[in-house]
Amino acid sequence: MSAAPPPRVALRRDSPLRFLKGVGPQRAEALAAAGCHSVEDLLWHLPLRWEDRRRVCAPAEVDRPGSWTVRGRLAELRLLRTRRRGFVIVRGRVAGGGAQLPVVWFNQPWLMDRFADGDEVLLFGNVRATEGGLLEMLSPAVHGWSEAGGEGGIVAVYPAVAGIGPAAVGRLMEQVVPVLAADPPSELLPDSLLAAWSLPRLAEALLAIHRPGPAADLGALAARSDPAHLRLVYGELLELQLELMELRSREIRVEKRHHYRIDEESRRAAREMLPFRLTGAQKRVVREIVGDLQGRAPMLRLLQGDVGSGKTIVAALALLIAATSGLQAAFMAPTELLAEQHFGNLTRLLAGRARVGLFTGSSADADRRRALAAGEFDVAVGTHALIQGGVVFRNLALAVIDEQHRFGVAQRRLLQAKGERPDVLVMTATPIPRSLALTLYGDLEQSVLDEMPPGRTPVATEIVPGSRRAEVYRRLRGALAAGARAYVVFPLIEESEEVSAASLEQMGTRVRDFLADSPSAVLHGRLPAAERDRIMRAFTSGEIRVLVATTVIEVGVDVPEATWMVIESAERFGLAQLHQLRGRVGRGSGASRCIALHGRLSETAGRRLEVFATARDGFAIAEADLQIRGPGDLLGTRQAGVPKLRVADLIGHREWLERARADARRLQPRLDEPELAPLAARVRSRVSSRYESFAGG
Ligand code: ADP
Ligand code: MG
């Protein structure tokens, strides 16, 4: 690459960032890696906060607590170490106008390298009154005066990006913000829509965020509830909703080729298969699914149902319909343990009516794959081994995915691609608050199992500090002596599963020694499949009475006779995960108990456990989890394929999500109208690039 300076041209919105002063090849590359290629990309790098420099004061003018912007010279800067290890304080004064104001910073030792006594600075922050009644500035943002960009106005402060610090980002913004006027980004939303919601146009909104006018409402800006932010939020959510609808319409546009035979005979087969009477909710959902199967477009349905609500039997009925119609079906689960359990159940349920094969990492051998391709299996149950390249179906018509939240959209599409427009049913036991469901699964029809099978008693839940562990295990010993079966769950403590397995073995040994009167076993993901299978069978039959396990039992494991659960280090689990774990007990008619042992609690961990102890309903728990953790964490890293929202916040902007959803429904059928052409073009190109690549053609 030549080191010649880039040509001096007027910046346009699509100009590459190396045209900016201060951006060399290296920075350009780092920015590109962070998703910033052009001037327009950088314009979406929004401020972290805004400083009010409309009134810059001398230290002499600061006469009461509150938020102040102060210009002066630093004096008496010194670093103080405290008794708490690693905790440092920088103290000093800022002087000017014949007065001095004390300043204190916590844990910012680097200030000592950056600034020295006598430096002229601009401080922005809170002034408080100390116990002695003196005023003191508390951890203010500090800029050297010469680089502060002068006084006046409301000044945006940017988050660092690609290793470029806030001040340097601010200087880049000086160059790109004028482009908003010179070459404004294209407006995708029709004026009529913006007018309906009283929102500004895109360029205007971006300008108001980067360079708020002197009359701007700082509180609203900080809360992202000003019209400018709401314009970006609405636009982002509207595009996303339209993408999901467009995606759905593409998927169901092509009629499926396969047909199911649903007649008196298959109904009788279904009745004979059922080991119990379906709940009202199960009947309703089965009807919804059968309706989809009989439709001309492929089914795309999400089945939500709390742990234990009985999703498996619903899926089994759909699988039976496929098999008795001479079609193949797949049932994919996230763990080998769960796949093995489903395989066991389905083999029993479908005996004599369907040939069921197991496809996991340790079982999907060449013979089995050949049999599947030849149509010798009607139902393939497995893990993601099912979506490997070597797995071929003869006529895959129905794909069921259990615990969908453990998979990404990409994996769903890979399974779909194993057939020709197969019907798809995805199931999840993580109830998703509506706001998230709309964002994640807006392209799916939704069914909800909102009724538990009869005879369940709520699980008595106790939150107990680790200091009372011995007492808890004594009670457990008593319950075991009376015939109970129990899970003891440990979190994955180490980064590596191997280390974790080792430490689990160790802790497990202690627990098992204490409970030596009852046969027990340790179960974790590193055990060979055959060994896991043997242990699960033994626990199911009651030969083993205590299962010391990692969260491998979190999803789907179903042993109705288990009525006790002890969760160790419960503070390490998320709320949804705790709820899933607890769902392993209380599945039969016996009264069940779950004891969450915890160590030191952070504030949020304390709140989580409080909610866990009192809430029973998975949807309520999911809502609470969303409030406590925020959507990013709730989805976890497993949610590959979830579009990242740049501005919108699913909690704070929930109301706007509903508005965008309603508008998208109204607009989608009209996307070909000229007024909507720019929006339609964006949505369609996004759908093609973001989703179609997974579809396998
Ligand atoms: P989940 O929705 O968590 O996957 P499962 O399908 O594993 O739940 O069902 C939980 C338990 O409830 C299983 O033991 C299952 O056999 C039982 N079950 C499901 N539906 C009914 C019903 N209608 N009546 C009685 N028991 C049921
Ligand atoms: Mg299940």
Side-chain angles (χ1 to χ4, degrees):
M1 259 202 126
S2 94
R8 289 240 154 260
V9 293
L11 288 174
R12 301 184 54 80
R13 65 188 141 95
D14 56 359
S15 301
L17 291 177
R18 68 192 151 76
F19 284 12
L20 300 185
K21 260 179 287 177
V23 178
Q26 226 171 358
R27 268 195 175 172
E29 209 167 292
L31 282 163
C36 285
H37 304 272
S38 66
V39 162
E40 185 163 353
D41 293 337
L42 203 53
L43 284 168
W44 280 93
H45 188 67
L46 303 182
L48 195 59
R49 55 189 178 81
W50 293 261
E51 290 181 0
D52 185 356
R53 296 189 200 160
R54 284 173 294 190
R55 205 168 96 80
V56 177
C57 301
E61 295 172 77
V62 176
D63 57 1
R64 68 201 125 82
S67 173
W68 290 86
T69 307
V70 178
R71 176 186 182 175
R73 289 191 184 278
L74 289 173
E76 292 175 52
L77 267 192
R78 58 202 190 281
L79 183 74
L80 305 170
R81 301 205 175 269
T82 63
R83 252 174 295 162
R84 253 173 70 197
R85 233 156 50 99
F87 192 76
V88 296
I89 294 177
V90 174
R91 274 191 180 284
R93 296 170 176 279
V94 57
Q100 292 195 330
L101 179 68
V103 189
V104 57
W105 288 275
F106 301 109
N107 274 335
Q108 302 185 47
W110 53 269
L111 286 170
M112 296 302 292
D113 303 325
R114 268 281 287 287
F115 296 101
D117 286 358
D119 284 355
E120 185 171 32
V121 292
L122 183 73
L123 301 176
F124 175 81
N126 247 337
V127 170
R128 67 163 183 188
T130 63
E131 276 169 33
L134 295 174
L135 294 177
E136 173 182 71
M137 207 166 195
L138 210 59
S139 287
V142 48
H143 311 273
W145 177 252
S146 54
E147 56 186 52
E151 47 187 283
I154 295 172
V155 176
V157 180
Y158 293 90
V161 60
I164 306 173
V169 173
R171 285 191 294 273
L172 298 182
M173 288 300 178
E174 293 291 337
Q175 302 172 64
V176 301
V177 167
V179 178
L180 281 173
D183 182 22
S186 46
E187 178 60 64
L188 299 183
L189 302 188
D191 286 333
S192 57
L193 208 53
L194 293 173
W197 295 116
S198 307
L199 294 172
R201 311 192 84 210
L202 177 62
E204 206 181 307
L206 286 170
L207 188 64
I209 289 170
H210 289 292
R211 297 287 178 265
D217 178 346
L218 273 176
L221 271 176
R224 273 78 180 161
S225 63
D226 56 306
H229 274 103
L230 293 178
R231 159 65 183 82
L232 304 189
V233 166
Y234 173 74
E236 179 168 45
L237 295 173
L238 183 71
E239 280 176 37
L240 178 60
Q241 291 302 320
L242 282 170
E243 280 171 31
L244 290 167
M245 287 173 193
E246 178 69 15
L247 179 63
R248 179 177 176 80
S249 81
R250 281 190 199 192
E251 293 205 24
I252 64 179
R253 191 154 49 205
V254 182
E255 290 182 12
K256 55 193 180 194
R257 298 249 182 94
H258 52 269
H259 295 284
Y260 298 89
R261 222 192 63 213
I262 298 172
D263 53 20
E264 207 28 63
E265 196 186 324
S266 53
R267 286 200 186 88
R268 199 183 56 238
R271 273 196 301 275
E272 284 171 11
M273 180 191 91
L274 287 178
F276 36 65
R277 286 170 61 95
L278 294 181
T279 63
Q282 285 170 323
K283 282 186 194 152
R284 187 188 66 233
V285 172
V286 168
R287 271 198 300 274
E288 287 165 354
I289 291 172
V290 170
D292 283 355
L293 295 183
Q294 288 175 311
R296 298 153 74 105
M299 166 167 74
L300 260 184
R301 185 171 287 278
L302 169 69
L303 171 54
Q304 290 193 63
D306 208 348
V307 272
S309 60
K311 293 183 289 297
T312 315
I313 194 74
V314 171
L317 283 167
L319 299 174
L320 176 73
I321 293 172
T324 54
S325 304
L327 300 167
Q328 281 182 315
F331 192 177
M332 184 161 78
T335 65
E336 291 208 2
L337 189 64
L338 188 52
E340 286 152 17
Q341 179 187 293
H342 281 322
F343 173 70
N345 276 335
L346 291 171
T347 308
R348 242 180 311 113
L349 284 170
L350 301 176
R353 306 188 189 282
R355 296 156 299 177
V356 185
L358 179 65
F359 291 79
T360 62
S362 44
S363 67
D365 58 24
D367 280 347
R368 224 172 270 192
R369 291 204 303 267
R370 212 169 299 127
L372 184 68
E376 286 159 28
F377 288 122
D378 305 300
V379 178
V381 181
T383 55
H384 46 261
L386 281 172
I387 52 178
Q388 304 309 308
V391 175
V392 179
F393 289 80
R394 195 168 72 89
N395 58 355
L396 178 67
L398 170 66
V400 181
I401 302 180
D402 196 19
E403 311 290 349
Q404 153 77 19
H405 57 286
R406 293 302 200 93
F407 294 103
V409 178
Q411 283 145 323
R412 190 228 297 174
R413 293 188 182 284
L414 284 171
L415 185 57
Q416 270 171 288
K418 297 281 179 190
E420 200 176 318
R421 302 273 156 192
D423 292 288
V424 176
L425 176 67
V426 302
M427 310 200 292
T428 180
T430 300
I432 305 161
R434 183 173 155 76
S435 54
L436 273 185
L438 290 185
T439 314
L440 290 178
Y441 302 119
D443 58 328
L444 306 178
E445 293 289 328
Q446 313 217 355
S447 292
V448 179
L449 282 181
D450 50 7
E451 181 186 351
M452 284 288 169
R456 301 283 172 80
T457 50
V459 180
T461 303
E462 297 171 43
I463 311 298
V464 179
S467 55
R468 286 168 46 204
R469 169 175 289 105
E471 175 197 322
V472 167
Y473 279 101
R474 270 197 302 277
R475 283 168 64 198
L476 173 55
R477 198 153 61 177
L480 290 168
R485 239 174 279 175
Y487 297 99
V488 176
V489 186
F490 284 89
L492 285 172
I493 294 165
E494 307 293 338
E495 286 299 314
S496 113
E497 258 186 71
E498 225 145 332
V499 179
S500 210
S503 63
L504 178 70
E505 295 275 2
Q506 227 173 44
M507 292 180 294
T509 308
R510 284 216 301 276
V511 169
R512 294 173 65 194
D513 283 350
F514 189 79
L515 304 173
D517 295 339
S518 309
S520 58
V522 173
L523 184 73
H524 53 76
R526 302 296 284 193
L527 291 176
E531 177 68 5
R532 279 200 313 261
D533 196 37
R534 193 189 62 72
I535 292 174
M536 275 319 292
R537 267 178 224 280
F539 187 63
T540 307
S541 71
E543 203 182 305
I544 286 174
R545 302 271 296 287
V546 183
L547 206 55
V548 179
T550 58
T551 49
V552 291
I553 61 151
E554 168 191 345
V555 282
V557 166
D558 182 35
V559 180
E561 293 81 5
T563 54
W564 257 76
M565 173 171 285
V566 176
I567 303 176
E568 289 273 359
S569 304
E571 75 278 6
R572 292 171 188 264
F573 294 98
L575 194 43
Q577 203 176 17
L578 286 169
H579 181 62
Q580 290 285 318
L581 283 170
R582 178 169 59 189
R584 299 309 118 215
V585 294
R587 297 173 84 84
S589 49
S592 292
R593 182 170 299 283
C594 174
I595 301 186
L597 282 168
H598 63 84
R600 252 178 68 172
L601 291 180
S602 68
E603 194 201 316
T604 53
R607 264 161 65 206
R608 274 204 306 271
L609 290 182
E610 223 168 88
V611 173
F612 177 57
T614 49
R616 287 286 168 280
D617 169 53
F619 282 93
I621 285 186
E623 286 283 347
D625 209 16
L626 187 63
Q627 300 279 0
I628 296 174
R629 292 201 292 165
D633 283 333
L634 186 58
L635 300 176
T637 46
R638 292 188 184 105
Q639 279 294 354
V642 175
K644 204 166 129 53
L645 296 170
R646 286 198 280 201
V647 195
D649 156 7
L650 294 179
I651 302 171
H653 299 126
R654 203 177 280 207
E655 191 190 335
W656 284 93
L657 178 62
E658 297 288 350
R659 288 177 182 165
R661 171 89 172 165
D663 286 351
R665 272 186 194 278
R666 203 164 43 75
L667 295 178
Q668 208 253 350
R670 304 174 26 208
L671 274 186
D672 291 319
E673 291 177 16
E675 195 194 27
L676 297 174
L679 184 58
R682 162 74 62 90
V683 165
R684 287 177 179 147
S685 88
R686 281 269 179 81
V687 169
S688 302
S689 65
R690 193 182 292 187
Y691 303 98
E692 294 285 280
S693 53
F694 298 131

